[in-house]
Amino acid sequence: MSAPIIIPTPAESRWDGGQLVFQELLFQGDCPSQYALARLAHWWGDDGPAVLRFQPLPGGDAQAYELVIDAAGVTMSAADSDGFMYGAMTLLQLLTKHGDGWTLPLGRIADRPRFEIRGVNWNLMAEIRGWSQDDCQGSRDFRLRFLAGLDLMTEYKLNFAFVDGVGWNGRRFQSYPSLMRDMNAAARRRGIHLCYVGYSSGYGEQHEEFDGESFENRHDYPRGALYPCMGFAAKPVSQLMGTCLSNKKLLKRKCAQLQQFVQTVEPGALYVHGLDISVNAEAQASWNLRCPNCRERWPNDDLAAPDGMAGACANLFLHLAEAVGRVRNPQTGYDARRDCMINMVGPNYTNAYENDDEWRCHLDYFETVSRLLAGKNIYLMLREQFFGDMPKAPRYQELRQRLGPDAKISCVYFAAGAGFYDSSIISGDAPAIGLLSGANAVITGNGNAFQETRQVINAEYLWNPDGAFRVDLPTVAVSAEFMPAHRQQAFGISSPPQLFAPGGLLDVACAKLYGKAAGALVARAQRLRTSHGDKYSHTTPLWNATFPNWRFSNFKLVRWQAGLTPEALAQASELQALLKELVKLNQQAAKLYWRAYEKAEKRRFHLARMAETCDNAVKMQRLMVRWLDIFLAAAAGRRPLKRLEALQNEVRLLNNRLRRSSRFAMDPNGGDIGFAAAQMKLLGKELRAIAWTLKNPGKFRPTSELIYGTQRQ
């Protein structure tokens, strides 16, 4: 008998052969996880003879558990509630129906996670915004999908998700406070931290509107004189956007705002973004712009000095964390000191391609900040880091050595599928999670509601990178060799066989999620790729890198404007060829998802949504192919006005249909359907701009750019 496949792979397991056969289990002992008991209730009996015994695990690590399955029954040992919950999730994967009863394989598991916090990103566009769980079917459907998503995370031992941003507005709409408190309470029962994103400085001025009050540097509030401080020299307005770190009145307002948000929403985690600076040179230039009061309090120009930027930022972090930690609600049992994980991000959140000199500056900076934050519930969050210029161990190991064993370190790992560089359904970048060892928390930038298989694959490597689907990774390497190979895996150009070969992790994940027959069809759909250089998968979500108005689009030059360059026209032709290919690919994928929907043993609602999204993508991409026909014809001096007018009508009809659907969204941005409608609206603007030029030769009307999916155009 072959060993059972458990995702994520347990740290240690032994299988003895033989089976425990039973109809029900007599529960004995105390299990502190009510969620675990609820999920196991189907097998709860009064008279055995098989027993499920719960007992403590002396000296066990947090979240660790042990299972012993023998002829008498099951013994589950754990050191805490989460450990019992994860033991129960493993037990559920091991159960097999057997006639009128059930079987479990005889053996022993001793299991514990590599990373304390293992996260995914439910937002559609990076960590910023877009509720992927929202299918525009109203409140009840949203709640059901959200709770089903939490159950899926728990089953695969994930315990963190980005869910909303960007801003500290706890009253985005009337029912927002109660909705979010309910979802956060449900997440806490499952040991999951739901994370909300906002700014502590700069307020997204470079890219994004802040949802909530964004503060300015003023000598007095609310209408005192403005003054500049830190920011970007090339963008003077950035130096006014709440960047001063010595202004006590400003700090008091920031603390009150964040505290009020936490009281309203009762979040499981916060992602508090400072000035949007990743590299040391930008941070130094910004620090050099600080105001006289900041210079007096922190006179040192050295970023890593306690009386330099490190000391100033640590002071801000401490005050914000203290304000959050004061929030308690006796009625719900919420205690922010215990329940809210605080991640401080930037300035200096780093870049995976930076050289060794740059990295040493970051190490110095974070070492000082970490020392000043010692003992506080504050995680320092950086981007992914792998290797440097010289042969060395992975950088997160070096960071851990510098900061010490007690420092709290988070990594947000943005590679593929994050609505950042692209939105691909699946790729081969997850195994590199193992190189981030040294962090307490690793949050993948992907894993939204359209990417359930990504969630399961991520879970494998977040819990145990050395498990059954281990990919051999270098222990010593240089960035110049590692990063090109990593990029090829991230963008579908090469694929690790442990994931994508027949019987690999993709096939296993799909079978576990949807059943064997349906899972095989889903795996086929998710292996589909275009022949384009960066291999594109089917277009789910509709918020996608192929759309020119997408902030991180690969085709941003394709906009009707004066002085179209040969490069822009080449991009337009390339995009048209890609879209034609994607139309066929999405048609194939939709058929496979509908067939899977008919055969699915579970999660049929998800497969229907995937099929419907592929169908919508076909409609949108067909219209975009015709737009590019007109675009290229007009650029060549032709006047396709009749075709343009016909296309305008069809774009308007699809936009109106999408907008009607998005009216039932809970997401203030309309969910994925809302962003599709925004894209069609912008396509209509493009067509009107072309029509204007055709009717007024030589004249051009500029169109709006879609920034991070916001519909506030």
Side-chain angles (χ1 to χ4, degrees):
M1 180 175 141
S2 60
I5 298 176
I6 303 165
I7 306 296
T9 306
E12 301 175 36
S13 61
R14 184 197 72 230
W15 304 105
D16 300 332
Q19 295 178 325
L20 171 67
V21 181
F22 63 95
Q23 289 188 318
E24 58 185 24
L25 294 167
L26 175 63
F27 287 18
Q28 294 181 349
D30 294 325
C31 175
S33 171
Q34 294 302 307
Y35 182 80
L37 291 173
R39 293 295 301 268
L40 294 170
H42 179 81
W43 296 274
W44 194 338
D46 295 327
D47 53 7
V51 170
L52 172 53
R53 181 179 296 104
F54 302 101
Q55 65 182 31
L57 183 62
D61 296 333
Q63 305 181 41
Y65 68 92
E66 292 184 1
L67 289 175
V68 177
I69 307 170
D70 56 26
V74 182
T75 300
M76 183 186 299
S77 309
D80 59 12
S81 177
D82 287 349
F84 282 107
M85 179 176 65
Y86 293 141
M89 296 305 102
T90 296
L91 202 59
L92 290 175
Q93 285 197 52
L94 291 171
L95 281 161
T96 302
K97 194 81 174 84
H98 179 76
D100 294 334
W102 301 85
T103 65
L104 286 167
L106 302 182
R108 178 184 179 274
I109 290 173
D111 203 7
R112 57 200 169 275
R114 171 74 60 88
F115 299 100
E116 167 200 349
I117 302 293
R118 304 165 300 281
V120 293
N121 180 14
W122 278 7
N123 287 338
L124 290 169
M125 22 312 335
E127 78 276 29
I128 301 298
R129 57 158 53 99
W131 298 5
S132 68
Q133 298 290 352
D134 192 348
D135 196 29
C136 301
Q137 300 292 323
S139 174
R140 182 176 182 276
D141 179 84
F142 175 77
R143 286 173 177 266
L144 290 173
R145 287 180 183 274
F146 202 102
L147 293 172
L150 293 177
D151 285 337
L152 179 64
M153 287 182 63
T154 309
E155 287 166 16
Y156 295 98
K157 305 181 179 71
L158 296 165
N159 61 359
F160 180 108
F162 286 120
V163 292
D164 197 16
V166 54
W168 309 126
N169 178 7
R171 301 188 181 277
R172 302 199 201 286
F173 50 85
Q174 185 175 358
S175 61
Y176 184 86
S178 60
L179 173 67
M180 289 301 154
R181 282 196 301 272
D182 288 349
M183 295 302 99
N184 278 298
R188 284 195 298 279
R189 286 193 290 273
R190 296 160 172 82
I192 294 172
H193 300 266
L194 298 183
C195 186
Y196 297 75
V197 177
Y199 280 83
S200 65
S201 181
Y203 298 94
E205 185 277 328
Q206 302 96 308
H207 304 303
E208 184 54 81
E209 291 189 19
F210 187 76
D211 193 346
E213 184 179 3
S214 54
F215 300 113
E216 297 170 306
N217 300 329
R218 292 184 180 273
H219 291 297
D220 201 3
Y221 292 91
R223 288 181 289 275
L226 288 166
Y227 66 92
C229 192
M230 294 173 65
F232 300 91
K235 204 163 188 182
V237 68
S238 69
Q239 299 167 43
L240 305 175
M241 302 294 291
T243 57
C244 181
L245 299 177
S246 63
N247 188 324
K248 293 181 180 179
K249 293 179 181 178
L250 173 61
L251 179 58
K252 184 177 180 181
R253 285 172 173 259
K254 291 179 180 180
C255 289
Q257 181 193 56
L258 190 56
Q259 186 180 74
Q260 180 61 52
F261 179 82
V262 173
Q263 286 175 338
T264 303
V265 172
E266 299 185 355
L270 299 171
Y271 176 100
V272 185
H273 208 310
L275 274 169
D276 202 344
I277 293 173
S278 62
V279 298
N280 195 68
E282 284 186 1
Q284 186 68 66
S286 177
W287 182 239
N288 291 344
L289 292 171
R290 66 195 185 279
C291 70
N293 286 339
C294 282
R295 285 188 173 275
E296 181 179 356
R297 183 165 182 186
W298 297 287
N300 203 325
D301 285 343
D302 184 353
L303 300 184
D307 59 346
M309 192 178 80
C313 289
N315 180 68
L316 172 66
F317 299 166
L318 286 166
H319 278 85
L320 292 175
E322 182 59 32
V324 169
R326 287 196 290 268
V327 177
R328 292 176 179 79
N329 186 342
Q331 292 182 327
T332 63
Y334 181 77
D335 183 339
R337 287 192 188 276
R338 177 193 64 213
D339 298 326
C340 187
M341 174 193 180
I342 304 171
N343 296 278
M344 296 297 181
V345 186
N348 275 12
Y349 53 79
T350 79
N351 182 301
Y353 289 90
E354 63 196 25
N355 62 36
D356 285 348
D357 289 339
E358 177 86 6
W359 177 240
R360 278 190 290 271
C361 290
H362 289 314
L363 289 173
D364 293 342
Y365 170 78
F366 284 111
E367 183 178 19
T368 303
V369 174
S370 177
R371 186 172 68 250
L372 295 172
L373 301 180
K376 303 298 182 182
N377 181 32
I378 300 173
Y379 289 74
L380 297 174
M381 181 172 271
L382 290 69
R383 285 283 303 273
E384 68 273 14
Q385 287 284 344
F386 298 110
F387 297 100
D389 303 335
M390 302 299 291
K392 274 189 175 183
R395 281 178 163 176
Y396 266 90
Q397 293 181 24
E398 188 177 7
L399 180 65
R400 172 57 65 189
Q401 290 172 357
R402 285 287 296 271
L403 271 56
D406 298 326
K408 296 181 181 296
I409 304 171
S410 293
C411 171
V412 59
Y413 175 23
F414 280 117
F420 187 64
Y421 299 121
D422 81 335
S423 300
S424 62
I425 193 70
I426 195 71
S427 59
D429 51 320
I433 288 168
L435 295 174
L436 304 173
S437 293
N440 303 83
V442 175
I443 317 304
T444 61
N446 52 43
N448 64 50
F450 294 93
Q451 299 169 335
E452 290 188 344
T453 48
R454 267 195 191 274
Q455 292 188 37
V456 177
I457 289 170
N458 290 344
E460 170 70 10
Y461 296 102
L462 287 164
W463 184 272
N464 182 6
D466 298 321
F469 301 93
R470 170 191 169 92
V471 173
D472 288 332
L473 297 168
T475 56
V476 173
V478 296
S479 180
E481 295 175 358
F482 175 80
M483 291 305 291
H486 177 260
R487 188 190 186 284
Q488 287 198 325
Q489 292 185 342
F491 294 99
I493 300 166
S494 66
S495 303
Q498 295 90 334
L499 272 69
F500 294 105
L505 183 52
L506 174 61
D507 287 344
V508 172
C510 290
K512 284 184 174 291
L513 285 166
Y514 313 113
K516 188 174 181 179
L521 294 165
V522 173
R524 280 178 58 189
Q526 299 199 353
R527 283 189 173 94
L528 294 173
R529 289 293 184 276
T530 66
S531 60
H532 190 272
D534 285 347
K535 307 294 186 182
Y536 288 87
S537 58
H538 54 68
T539 311
T540 55
L542 296 172
W543 171 251
N544 197 274
T546 56
F547 297 154
N549 295 108
W550 192 74
R551 181 166 183 84
F552 295 104
S553 174
N554 296 323
F555 303 96
K556 292 180 72 171
L557 296 179
V558 188
R559 297 177 60 199
W560 189 253
Q561 54 193 315
L564 283 169
T565 64
E567 185 183 2
L569 296 174
Q571 267 196 17
S573 296
E574 181 188 3
L575 175 58
Q576 186 180 46
L578 173 61
L579 289 170
K580 288 178 179 178
E581 194 173 357
L582 280 170
V583 166
K584 295 178 181 178
L585 190 150
N586 280 309
Q587 288 173 325
Q588 288 179 267
K591 289 178 182 177
L592 288 167
Y593 281 118
W594 283 124
R595 288 173 59 195
Y597 169 82
E598 296 295 334
K599 296 176 179 291
E601 299 172 19
K602 47 190 173 180
R603 304 193 67 78
R604 296 178 78 234
F605 67 93
H606 170 76
L607 299 175
R609 187 184 187 194
M610 296 294 284
E612 290 164 356
T613 304
C614 288
D615 285 336
N616 275 329
V618 169
K619 294 183 179 75
M620 294 174 66
Q621 288 162 347
R622 280 175 168 164
L623 295 178
M624 292 177 70
V625 167
R626 291 166 58 191
W627 157 59
L628 289 165
D629 266 336
I630 292 166
F631 183 102
L632 292 167
R638 297 193 293 275
R639 293 172 52 81
L641 278 168
K642 287 188 177 180
R643 283 191 289 143
L644 190 152
E645 290 169 2
L647 181 56
Q648 282 180 307
N649 289 331
E650 292 184 51
V651 168
R652 190 178 303 112
L653 287 171
L654 180 56
N655 182 32
N656 289 340
R657 183 177 69 78
L658 292 169
R659 286 176 58 202
R660 284 195 298 271
S661 295
S662 69
R663 284 203 299 264
F664 297 99
M666 300 298 292
D667 178 5
N669 289 278
D672 192 42
I673 296 293
F675 292 121
Q679 177 61 37
M680 288 297 98
K681 180 180 177 181
L682 284 162
L683 183 56
K685 288 185 177 182
E686 279 283 309
L687 291 169
R688 289 195 296 275
I690 296 172
W692 171 263
T693 300
L694 294 180
K695 294 173 183 177
N696 301 273
K699 296 183 179 180
F700 289 83
R701 176 181 287 174
T703 56
S704 300
E705 184 180 1
L706 185 64
I707 303 295
Y708 273 125
T710 181
Q711 296 180 53
R712 301 176 183 132
Q713 301 161 45

